[in-house]
Amino acid sequence: MERRYFEQRKGRVEIIPMIDIMLFLLVFFIMITLQMIPDKGLNLQLPASSQAKMLPRPHYTINIEKDGTVRVKGHRYDLNSLQKMLAHDSDPGKTQITIAADKGVPFQDFVHVMDACQKAGVSDIGIAAKTAK
């Protein structure tokens, strides 16, 4: 059977590539949405401040519990591993950190965490506090 040069063919809609693209878009939007969910941190009794201000969403929220335990995004860190984790961030100089310490935490523990952040190269550090009434 011969085909002629000007013979018309019926158009087809290829559904398989369209499904592939839709799945790719779905995965892309799920990953972006997960990046947008803020780190809630732990339930801490923050100290009160009459001058507390809202800061932009930080890259990391470092939580210091009463017993001195340091947690970031649900993972427990000692000071050395915290410093290494922050130093291996894409650009520590542009990393924004908020330190949330329970009001019962000794100030020395707070200073140790700040030192670890600064040794890692982080310079944008915020301190979490609740607004005083």
Side-chain angles (χ1 to χ4, degrees), residues 53-119:
K53 299 177 189 172
M54 274 304 262
L55 295 175
R57 184 172 160 252
H59 291 148
Y60 297 106
T61 301
I62 300 174
N63 300 297
I64 309 173
E65 298 175 13
K66 285 183 184 180
D67 62 353
T69 304
V70 176
R71 293 190 184 270
V72 179
K73 293 187 178 184
H75 300 289
R76 187 177 181 171
Y77 290 94
D78 62 1
L79 294 176
N80 289 331
S81 59
L82 176 68
Q83 180 181 341
K84 287 178 186 174
M85 186 265 299
L86 293 174
H88 289 98
D89 192 31
S90 61
D91 187 3
K94 293 183 181 178
T95 301
Q96 298 170 347
I97 298 239
T98 297
I99 300 175
D102 193 279
K103 65 182 177 182
V105 171
F107 188 66
Q108 188 63 47
D109 291 346
F110 183 82
V111 171
H112 287 312
V113 170
M114 283 188 66
D115 285 344
C117 293
Q118 289 179 337
K119 285 178 185 175

Short mmCIF file of all heavy atoms in Angstrom, two decimals, residues 53-119:
data_model
loop_
_atom_site.label_atom_id
_atom_site.label_comp_id
_atom_site.label_asym_id
_atom_site.label_seq_id
_atom_site.Cartn_x
_atom_site.Cartn_y
_atom_site.Cartn_z
N LYS A 53 10.41 42.43 68.26
CA LYS A 53 9.92 42.70 66.91
C LYS A 53 9.89 41.40 66.13
O LYS A 53 10.66 40.49 66.40
CB LYS A 53 10.86 43.67 66.19
CG LYS A 53 11.00 45.00 66.83
CD LYS A 53 12.02 45.84 66.07
CE LYS A 53 12.32 47.10 66.83
NZ LYS A 53 13.43 47.83 66.23
N MET A 54 9.00 41.36 65.15
CA MET A 54 8.96 40.21 64.24
C MET A 54 10.13 40.32 63.27
O MET A 54 10.36 41.37 62.68
CB MET A 54 7.67 40.19 63.44
CG MET A 54 6.51 39.52 64.15
SD MET A 54 6.89 37.87 64.66
CE MET A 54 6.15 36.97 63.36
N LEU A 55 10.87 39.24 63.11
CA LEU A 55 11.98 39.18 62.16
C LEU A 55 11.55 38.34 60.97
O LEU A 55 10.63 37.54 61.07
CB LEU A 55 13.21 38.56 62.82
CG LEU A 55 13.83 39.34 63.97
CD1 LEU A 55 14.96 38.53 64.59
CD2 LEU A 55 14.34 40.68 63.50
N PRO A 56 12.23 38.49 59.83
CA PRO A 56 11.91 37.60 58.71
C PRO A 56 12.20 36.16 59.09
O PRO A 56 12.98 35.89 60.00
CB PRO A 56 12.83 38.08 57.59
CG PRO A 56 13.79 39.03 58.20
CD PRO A 56 13.27 39.44 59.53
N ARG A 57 11.56 35.26 58.39
CA ARG A 57 11.71 33.84 58.69
C ARG A 57 13.18 33.42 58.56
O ARG A 57 13.79 33.61 57.51
CB ARG A 57 10.86 33.03 57.72
CG ARG A 57 10.88 31.56 58.01
CD ARG A 57 9.86 30.85 57.14
NE ARG A 57 10.21 29.48 57.07
CZ ARG A 57 10.71 28.89 56.00
NH1 ARG A 57 10.90 29.56 54.90
NH2 ARG A 57 11.01 27.62 56.02
N PRO A 58 13.77 32.87 59.64
CA PRO A 58 15.19 32.48 59.58
C PRO A 58 15.37 31.15 58.85
O PRO A 58 14.43 30.39 58.66
CB PRO A 58 15.55 32.32 61.06
CG PRO A 58 14.27 31.92 61.71
CD PRO A 58 13.18 32.64 60.95
N HIS A 59 16.61 30.90 58.45
CA HIS A 59 16.93 29.60 57.84
C HIS A 59 16.86 28.50 58.91
O HIS A 59 16.39 27.42 58.64
CB HIS A 59 18.33 29.61 57.22
CG HIS A 59 18.42 30.49 56.02
ND1 HIS A 59 19.56 31.16 55.69
CD2 HIS A 59 17.53 30.81 55.06
CE1 HIS A 59 19.37 31.84 54.59
NE2 HIS A 59 18.14 31.65 54.19
N TYR A 60 17.37 28.82 60.11
CA TYR A 60 17.38 27.84 61.20
C TYR A 60 16.89 28.49 62.48
O TYR A 60 17.22 29.64 62.76
CB TYR A 60 18.80 27.31 61.45
CG TYR A 60 19.40 26.56 60.30
CD1 TYR A 60 20.39 27.12 59.52
CD2 TYR A 60 18.98 25.27 60.00
CE1 TYR A 60 20.95 26.43 58.45
CE2 TYR A 60 19.53 24.58 58.94
CZ TYR A 60 20.51 25.16 58.18
OH TYR A 60 21.05 24.47 57.13
N THR A 61 16.13 27.74 63.25
CA THR A 61 15.77 28.14 64.61
C THR A 61 16.46 27.17 65.54
O THR A 61 16.21 25.96 65.51
CB THR A 61 14.24 28.08 64.82
OG1 THR A 61 13.61 28.95 63.87
CG2 THR A 61 13.88 28.52 66.23
N ILE A 62 17.35 27.70 66.37
CA ILE A 62 18.10 26.87 67.31
C ILE A 62 17.38 26.96 68.66
O ILE A 62 17.24 28.05 69.21
CB ILE A 62 19.56 27.33 67.43
CG1 ILE A 62 20.25 27.24 66.07
CG2 ILE A 62 20.30 26.51 68.48
CD1 ILE A 62 21.64 27.81 66.04
N ASN A 63 16.93 25.83 69.17
CA ASN A 63 16.21 25.77 70.43
C ASN A 63 17.13 25.25 71.52
O ASN A 63 17.77 24.22 71.35
CB ASN A 63 14.99 24.84 70.31
CG ASN A 63 14.02 25.32 69.26
OD1 ASN A 63 13.45 26.39 69.37
ND2 ASN A 63 13.85 24.53 68.21
N ILE A 64 17.18 25.96 72.64
CA ILE A 64 17.97 25.53 73.80
C ILE A 64 16.99 25.22 74.92
O ILE A 64 16.26 26.10 75.36
CB ILE A 64 18.97 26.61 74.24
CG1 ILE A 64 19.81 27.09 73.07
CG2 ILE A 64 19.87 26.06 75.36
CD1 ILE A 64 20.70 28.28 73.40
N GLU A 65 16.98 23.98 75.36
CA GLU A 65 16.06 23.55 76.41
C GLU A 65 16.67 23.83 77.79
O GLU A 65 17.84 24.19 77.91
CB GLU A 65 15.74 22.07 76.24
CG GLU A 65 15.05 21.77 74.93
CD GLU A 65 14.83 20.28 74.72
OE1 GLU A 65 14.99 19.49 75.68
OE2 GLU A 65 14.49 19.91 73.59
N LYS A 66 15.86 23.64 78.83
CA LYS A 66 16.30 23.92 80.21
C LYS A 66 17.55 23.15 80.59
O LYS A 66 18.41 23.64 81.31
CB LYS A 66 15.19 23.61 81.21
CG LYS A 66 14.09 24.62 81.23
CD LYS A 66 13.06 24.26 82.29
CE LYS A 66 11.91 25.24 82.25
NZ LYS A 66 10.90 24.93 83.26
N ASP A 67 17.65 21.90 80.12
CA ASP A 67 18.80 21.07 80.48
C ASP A 67 20.02 21.34 79.61
O ASP A 67 21.04 20.67 79.74
CB ASP A 67 18.42 19.59 80.43
CG ASP A 67 18.00 19.14 79.03
OD1 ASP A 67 17.88 20.00 78.13
OD2 ASP A 67 17.80 17.92 78.85
N GLY A 68 19.94 22.32 78.70
CA GLY A 68 21.07 22.67 77.86
C GLY A 68 21.11 21.96 76.52
O GLY A 68 22.03 22.15 75.73
N THR A 69 20.11 21.12 76.25
CA THR A 69 20.04 20.39 74.99
C THR A 69 19.77 21.37 73.85
O THR A 69 18.90 22.23 73.95
CB THR A 69 18.90 19.35 75.03
OG1 THR A 69 19.11 18.48 76.14
CG2 THR A 69 18.86 18.54 73.76
N VAL A 70 20.53 21.22 72.77
CA VAL A 70 20.38 22.09 71.59
C VAL A 70 19.70 21.27 70.50
O VAL A 70 20.15 20.19 70.15
CB VAL A 70 21.76 22.60 71.10
CG1 VAL A 70 21.61 23.42 69.84
CG2 VAL A 70 22.45 23.39 72.19
N ARG A 71 18.61 21.82 69.96
CA ARG A 71 17.86 21.14 68.90
C ARG A 71 17.65 22.09 67.73
O ARG A 71 17.32 23.25 67.92
CB ARG A 71 16.51 20.65 69.39
CG ARG A 71 16.60 19.56 70.43
CD ARG A 71 15.23 18.95 70.69
NE ARG A 71 15.30 17.98 71.73
CZ ARG A 71 15.55 16.69 71.55
NH1 ARG A 71 15.75 16.24 70.33
NH2 ARG A 71 15.60 15.86 72.55
N VAL A 72 17.81 21.53 66.53
CA VAL A 72 17.54 22.26 65.29
C VAL A 72 16.72 21.33 64.41
O VAL A 72 17.16 20.23 64.09
CB VAL A 72 18.84 22.67 64.56
CG1 VAL A 72 18.53 23.40 63.28
CG2 VAL A 72 19.73 23.50 65.46
N LYS A 73 15.53 21.78 64.04
CA LYS A 73 14.61 21.01 63.19
C LYS A 73 14.40 19.60 63.73
O LYS A 73 14.39 18.62 62.98
CB LYS A 73 15.10 20.98 61.75
CG LYS A 73 15.06 22.33 61.08
CD LYS A 73 15.37 22.26 59.62
CE LYS A 73 15.26 23.65 59.02
NZ LYS A 73 15.45 23.66 57.59
N GLY A 74 14.26 19.47 65.03
CA GLY A 74 13.97 18.19 65.64
C GLY A 74 15.17 17.30 65.90
O GLY A 74 15.04 16.26 66.53
N HIS A 75 16.34 17.70 65.44
CA HIS A 75 17.56 16.91 65.66
C HIS A 75 18.37 17.51 66.79
O HIS A 75 18.51 18.71 66.92
CB HIS A 75 18.41 16.86 64.39
CG HIS A 75 17.71 16.25 63.21
ND1 HIS A 75 17.43 14.91 63.13
CD2 HIS A 75 17.21 16.81 62.08
CE1 HIS A 75 16.80 14.66 62.00
NE2 HIS A 75 16.65 15.81 61.34
N ARG A 76 18.94 16.62 67.61
CA ARG A 76 19.76 17.05 68.75
C ARG A 76 21.21 17.22 68.30
O ARG A 76 21.74 16.38 67.58
CB ARG A 76 19.65 15.99 69.83
CG ARG A 76 20.28 16.36 71.11
CD ARG A 76 20.04 15.28 72.13
NE ARG A 76 20.65 15.68 73.37
CZ ARG A 76 20.49 15.07 74.50
NH1 ARG A 76 19.72 14.00 74.56
NH2 ARG A 76 21.07 15.50 75.58
N TYR A 77 21.82 18.32 68.72
CA TYR A 77 23.20 18.62 68.36
C TYR A 77 24.01 18.98 69.59
O TYR A 77 23.49 19.60 70.52
CB TYR A 77 23.29 19.82 67.40
CG TYR A 77 22.75 19.56 66.02
CD1 TYR A 77 21.44 19.86 65.68
CD2 TYR A 77 23.58 19.02 65.03
CE1 TYR A 77 20.96 19.62 64.41
CE2 TYR A 77 23.09 18.79 63.75
CZ TYR A 77 21.79 19.09 63.45
OH TYR A 77 21.31 18.86 62.19
N ASP A 78 25.30 18.60 69.58
CA ASP A 78 26.21 19.19 70.56
C ASP A 78 26.84 20.41 69.88
O ASP A 78 26.59 20.67 68.70
CB ASP A 78 27.26 18.18 71.06
CG ASP A 78 28.16 17.67 69.94
OD1 ASP A 78 28.00 18.10 68.79
OD2 ASP A 78 29.04 16.84 70.23
N LEU A 79 27.64 21.17 70.59
CA LEU A 79 28.13 22.43 70.03
C LEU A 79 29.04 22.23 68.82
O LEU A 79 28.98 22.99 67.86
CB LEU A 79 28.86 23.23 71.13
CG LEU A 79 27.95 23.72 72.27
CD1 LEU A 79 28.77 24.40 73.35
CD2 LEU A 79 26.88 24.64 71.74
N ASN A 80 29.88 21.19 68.85
CA ASN A 80 30.77 20.93 67.71
C ASN A 80 29.99 20.54 66.46
O ASN A 80 30.27 21.03 65.36
CB ASN A 80 31.78 19.83 68.05
CG ASN A 80 32.82 20.32 69.05
OD1 ASN A 80 33.14 21.50 69.08
ND2 ASN A 80 33.31 19.41 69.86
N SER A 81 29.01 19.65 66.61
CA SER A 81 28.24 19.24 65.43
C SER A 81 27.34 20.38 64.94
O SER A 81 27.10 20.50 63.73
CB SER A 81 27.42 17.99 65.72
OG SER A 81 26.53 18.21 66.79
N LEU A 82 26.88 21.24 65.85
CA LEU A 82 26.11 22.42 65.43
C LEU A 82 26.98 23.34 64.59
O LEU A 82 26.56 23.83 63.53
CB LEU A 82 25.57 23.16 66.66
CG LEU A 82 24.83 24.47 66.38
CD1 LEU A 82 23.53 24.20 65.66
CD2 LEU A 82 24.58 25.22 67.68
N GLN A 83 28.19 23.56 65.04
CA GLN A 83 29.12 24.42 64.30
C GLN A 83 29.42 23.83 62.91
O GLN A 83 29.41 24.55 61.91
CB GLN A 83 30.41 24.58 65.09
CG GLN A 83 31.44 25.47 64.40
CD GLN A 83 32.72 25.58 65.21
OE1 GLN A 83 32.73 25.31 66.41
NE2 GLN A 83 33.78 25.96 64.55
N LYS A 84 29.64 22.52 62.84
CA LYS A 84 29.92 21.88 61.55
C LYS A 84 28.71 21.97 60.62
O LYS A 84 28.86 22.23 59.42
CB LYS A 84 30.30 20.42 61.76
CG LYS A 84 31.68 20.23 62.35
CD LYS A 84 31.97 18.77 62.58
CE LYS A 84 33.29 18.60 63.31
NZ LYS A 84 33.53 17.19 63.66
N MET A 85 27.51 21.76 61.17
CA MET A 85 26.31 21.81 60.35
C MET A 85 26.13 23.21 59.77
O MET A 85 25.82 23.37 58.58
CB MET A 85 25.09 21.43 61.20
CG MET A 85 23.79 21.32 60.40
SD MET A 85 22.73 22.78 60.36
CE MET A 85 22.34 23.04 62.04
N LEU A 86 26.33 24.24 60.58
CA LEU A 86 26.18 25.61 60.09
C LEU A 86 27.28 26.00 59.12
O LEU A 86 27.05 26.72 58.15
CB LEU A 86 26.14 26.58 61.27
CG LEU A 86 24.93 26.47 62.19
CD1 LEU A 86 25.10 27.37 63.40
CD2 LEU A 86 23.66 26.78 61.45
N ALA A 87 28.50 25.51 59.37
CA ALA A 87 29.62 25.84 58.48
C ALA A 87 29.45 25.20 57.10
O ALA A 87 29.91 25.75 56.11
CB ALA A 87 30.93 25.39 59.11
N HIS A 88 28.78 24.06 57.04
CA HIS A 88 28.58 23.38 55.76
C HIS A 88 27.32 23.84 55.06
O HIS A 88 26.95 23.28 54.02
CB HIS A 88 28.56 21.86 55.95
CG HIS A 88 29.92 21.32 56.28
ND1 HIS A 88 30.32 21.06 57.57
CD2 HIS A 88 30.98 21.04 55.49
CE1 HIS A 88 31.55 20.62 57.56
NE2 HIS A 88 31.99 20.59 56.31
N ASP A 89 26.64 24.84 55.59
CA ASP A 89 25.50 25.43 54.89
C ASP A 89 26.04 26.11 53.64
O ASP A 89 27.23 26.42 53.54
CB ASP A 89 24.80 26.44 55.81
CG ASP A 89 23.46 26.87 55.27
OD1 ASP A 89 22.82 26.05 54.59
OD2 ASP A 89 23.05 28.02 55.53
N SER A 90 25.19 26.36 52.68
CA SER A 90 25.65 26.89 51.39
C SER A 90 26.48 28.16 51.53
O SER A 90 27.53 28.29 50.92
CB SER A 90 24.45 27.14 50.48
OG SER A 90 23.59 28.09 51.07
N ASP A 91 26.05 29.12 52.33
CA ASP A 91 26.80 30.35 52.55
C ASP A 91 26.56 30.80 53.99
O ASP A 91 25.57 31.50 54.25
CB ASP A 91 26.39 31.43 51.55
CG ASP A 91 27.27 32.66 51.64
OD1 ASP A 91 28.23 32.66 52.42
OD2 ASP A 91 26.99 33.63 50.91
N PRO A 92 27.41 30.42 54.95
CA PRO A 92 27.16 30.75 56.35
C PRO A 92 27.05 32.26 56.60
O PRO A 92 26.36 32.69 57.51
CB PRO A 92 28.36 30.17 57.10
CG PRO A 92 28.95 29.17 56.19
CD PRO A 92 28.61 29.60 54.80
N GLY A 93 27.70 33.08 55.78
CA GLY A 93 27.64 34.52 55.96
C GLY A 93 26.25 35.09 55.70
O GLY A 93 25.91 36.15 56.20
N LYS A 94 25.44 34.36 54.91
CA LYS A 94 24.09 34.82 54.60
C LYS A 94 23.01 34.03 55.34
O LYS A 94 21.84 34.27 55.16
CB LYS A 94 23.84 34.73 53.10
CG LYS A 94 24.69 35.70 52.31
CD LYS A 94 24.37 35.62 50.84
CE LYS A 94 25.24 36.59 50.06
NZ LYS A 94 24.99 36.50 48.62
N THR A 95 23.43 33.06 56.16
CA THR A 95 22.48 32.25 56.91
C THR A 95 21.88 33.06 58.04
O THR A 95 22.60 33.71 58.79
CB THR A 95 23.17 30.99 57.47
OG1 THR A 95 23.71 30.24 56.38
CG2 THR A 95 22.21 30.13 58.25
N GLN A 96 20.57 33.01 58.17
CA GLN A 96 19.87 33.71 59.24
C GLN A 96 19.48 32.70 60.31
O GLN A 96 18.91 31.67 60.01
CB GLN A 96 18.62 34.41 58.71
CG GLN A 96 18.92 35.45 57.68
CD GLN A 96 17.66 35.96 57.00
OE1 GLN A 96 16.59 35.37 57.13
NE2 GLN A 96 17.79 37.06 56.29
N ILE A 97 19.82 33.04 61.56
CA ILE A 97 19.58 32.13 62.68
C ILE A 97 18.77 32.87 63.73
O ILE A 97 19.01 34.05 64.00
CB ILE A 97 20.92 31.69 63.29
CG1 ILE A 97 21.72 30.96 62.26
CG2 ILE A 97 20.73 30.95 64.58
CD1 ILE A 97 22.11 29.59 62.58
N THR A 98 17.84 32.17 64.35
CA THR A 98 17.15 32.68 65.53
C THR A 98 17.40 31.68 66.66
O THR A 98 17.19 30.48 66.49
CB THR A 98 15.64 32.82 65.29
OG1 THR A 98 15.44 33.79 64.26
CG2 THR A 98 14.93 33.29 66.55
N ILE A 99 17.88 32.20 67.78
CA ILE A 99 18.14 31.35 68.95
C ILE A 99 16.97 31.54 69.91
O ILE A 99 16.69 32.65 70.35
CB ILE A 99 19.47 31.71 69.63
CG1 ILE A 99 20.64 31.54 68.66
CG2 ILE A 99 19.67 30.86 70.88
CD1 ILE A 99 21.97 31.99 69.21
N ALA A 100 16.30 30.43 70.22
CA ALA A 100 15.18 30.43 71.15
C ALA A 100 15.60 29.63 72.38
O ALA A 100 15.75 28.43 72.32
CB ALA A 100 13.94 29.82 70.52
N ALA A 101 15.84 30.35 73.47
CA ALA A 101 16.28 29.69 74.71
C ALA A 101 15.17 29.81 75.76
O ALA A 101 14.57 30.86 75.91
CB ALA A 101 17.56 30.33 75.23
N ASP A 102 14.92 28.71 76.45
CA ASP A 102 13.98 28.74 77.56
C ASP A 102 14.48 29.74 78.60
O ASP A 102 15.68 29.92 78.77
CB ASP A 102 13.88 27.34 78.17
CG ASP A 102 12.71 27.19 79.10
OD1 ASP A 102 12.83 27.60 80.27
OD2 ASP A 102 11.67 26.69 78.64
N LYS A 103 13.55 30.41 79.29
CA LYS A 103 13.99 31.44 80.25
C LYS A 103 14.73 30.85 81.43
O LYS A 103 15.41 31.57 82.15
CB LYS A 103 12.82 32.31 80.69
CG LYS A 103 11.75 31.62 81.47
CD LYS A 103 10.64 32.61 81.81
CE LYS A 103 9.49 31.96 82.52
NZ LYS A 103 8.42 32.91 82.79
N GLY A 104 14.67 29.54 81.62
CA GLY A 104 15.42 28.89 82.69
C GLY A 104 16.81 28.44 82.29
O GLY A 104 17.56 27.90 83.10
N VAL A 105 17.20 28.67 81.05
CA VAL A 105 18.51 28.25 80.55
C VAL A 105 19.58 29.19 81.10
O VAL A 105 19.42 30.41 81.04
CB VAL A 105 18.53 28.28 79.00
CG1 VAL A 105 19.93 28.08 78.46
CG2 VAL A 105 17.61 27.23 78.44
N PRO A 106 20.67 28.64 81.63
CA PRO A 106 21.77 29.51 82.08
C PRO A 106 22.32 30.32 80.91
O PRO A 106 22.41 29.83 79.78
CB PRO A 106 22.83 28.52 82.60
CG PRO A 106 22.10 27.25 82.84
CD PRO A 106 20.94 27.23 81.92
N PHE A 107 22.67 31.55 81.18
CA PHE A 107 23.15 32.45 80.13
C PHE A 107 24.42 31.90 79.48
O PHE A 107 24.64 32.13 78.29
CB PHE A 107 23.41 33.85 80.71
CG PHE A 107 23.71 34.88 79.67
CD1 PHE A 107 22.75 35.25 78.75
CD2 PHE A 107 24.96 35.45 79.60
CE1 PHE A 107 23.03 36.19 77.77
CE2 PHE A 107 25.25 36.39 78.63
CZ PHE A 107 24.28 36.76 77.71
N GLN A 108 25.23 31.16 80.21
CA GLN A 108 26.46 30.61 79.66
C GLN A 108 26.15 29.64 78.51
O GLN A 108 26.86 29.64 77.51
CB GLN A 108 27.27 29.90 80.75
CG GLN A 108 28.65 29.48 80.30
CD GLN A 108 29.52 30.69 79.91
OE1 GLN A 108 29.57 31.66 80.65
NE2 GLN A 108 30.16 30.61 78.77
N ASP A 109 25.09 28.83 78.64
CA ASP A 109 24.71 27.93 77.55
C ASP A 109 24.31 28.71 76.31
O ASP A 109 24.64 28.33 75.18
CB ASP A 109 23.55 27.03 77.98
CG ASP A 109 23.95 26.03 79.05
OD1 ASP A 109 25.17 25.84 79.26
OD2 ASP A 109 23.05 25.43 79.67
N PHE A 110 23.61 29.81 76.51
CA PHE A 110 23.21 30.68 75.41
C PHE A 110 24.45 31.25 74.70
O PHE A 110 24.53 31.25 73.47
CB PHE A 110 22.33 31.81 75.95
CG PHE A 110 21.81 32.74 74.90
CD1 PHE A 110 20.68 32.40 74.17
CD2 PHE A 110 22.43 33.94 74.64
CE1 PHE A 110 20.18 33.25 73.21
CE2 PHE A 110 21.95 34.79 73.68
CZ PHE A 110 20.82 34.45 72.95
N VAL A 111 25.43 31.69 75.48
CA VAL A 111 26.66 32.26 74.92
C VAL A 111 27.44 31.20 74.14
O VAL A 111 28.00 31.48 73.08
CB VAL A 111 27.51 32.91 76.03
CG1 VAL A 111 28.88 33.30 75.50
CG2 VAL A 111 26.80 34.11 76.61
N HIS A 112 27.48 29.97 74.65
CA HIS A 112 28.17 28.89 73.94
C HIS A 112 27.55 28.65 72.56
O HIS A 112 28.27 28.43 71.57
CB HIS A 112 28.15 27.60 74.75
CG HIS A 112 29.05 27.60 75.94
ND1 HIS A 112 30.37 28.01 75.89
CD2 HIS A 112 28.82 27.24 77.23
CE1 HIS A 112 30.92 27.91 77.09
NE2 HIS A 112 29.99 27.44 77.93
N VAL A 113 26.23 28.67 72.47
CA VAL A 113 25.56 28.48 71.19
C VAL A 113 25.87 29.64 70.25
O VAL A 113 26.15 29.44 69.06
CB VAL A 113 24.04 28.30 71.39
CG1 VAL A 113 23.31 28.33 70.05
CG2 VAL A 113 23.74 27.01 72.12
N MET A 114 25.86 30.87 70.76
CA MET A 114 26.21 32.03 69.93
C MET A 114 27.65 31.92 69.43
O MET A 114 27.94 32.24 68.27
CB MET A 114 26.02 33.33 70.71
CG MET A 114 24.58 33.74 70.82
SD MET A 114 24.36 35.37 71.53
CE MET A 114 25.10 36.40 70.30
N ASP A 115 28.56 31.48 70.30
CA ASP A 115 29.96 31.30 69.89
C ASP A 115 30.08 30.27 68.77
O ASP A 115 30.84 30.46 67.82
CB ASP A 115 30.82 30.88 71.08
CG ASP A 115 31.11 32.02 72.03
OD1 ASP A 115 30.91 33.19 71.63
OD2 ASP A 115 31.52 31.75 73.17
N ALA A 116 29.34 29.15 68.90
CA ALA A 116 29.38 28.11 67.87
C ALA A 116 28.87 28.66 66.54
O ALA A 116 29.44 28.36 65.48
CB ALA A 116 28.55 26.90 68.30
N CYS A 117 27.84 29.49 66.58
CA CYS A 117 27.31 30.10 65.34
C CYS A 117 28.33 31.04 64.72
O CYS A 117 28.57 31.01 63.51
CB CYS A 117 26.02 30.87 65.64
SG CYS A 117 24.64 29.83 66.12
N GLN A 118 28.98 31.84 65.54
CA GLN A 118 29.95 32.79 65.02
C GLN A 118 31.20 32.09 64.50
O GLN A 118 31.80 32.51 63.51
CB GLN A 118 30.30 33.84 66.07
CG GLN A 118 29.14 34.79 66.30
CD GLN A 118 29.42 35.84 67.35
OE1 GLN A 118 30.29 35.64 68.21
NE2 GLN A 118 28.70 36.94 67.30
N LYS A 119 31.62 31.00 65.15
CA LYS A 119 32.77 30.23 64.65
C LYS A 119 32.47 29.61 63.30
O LYS A 119 33.37 29.43 62.49
CB LYS A 119 33.15 29.13 65.65
CG LYS A 119 33.86 29.64 66.87
CD LYS A 119 34.16 28.50 67.82
CE LYS A 119 34.77 29.00 69.12
NZ LYS A 119 34.96 27.89 70.08
#
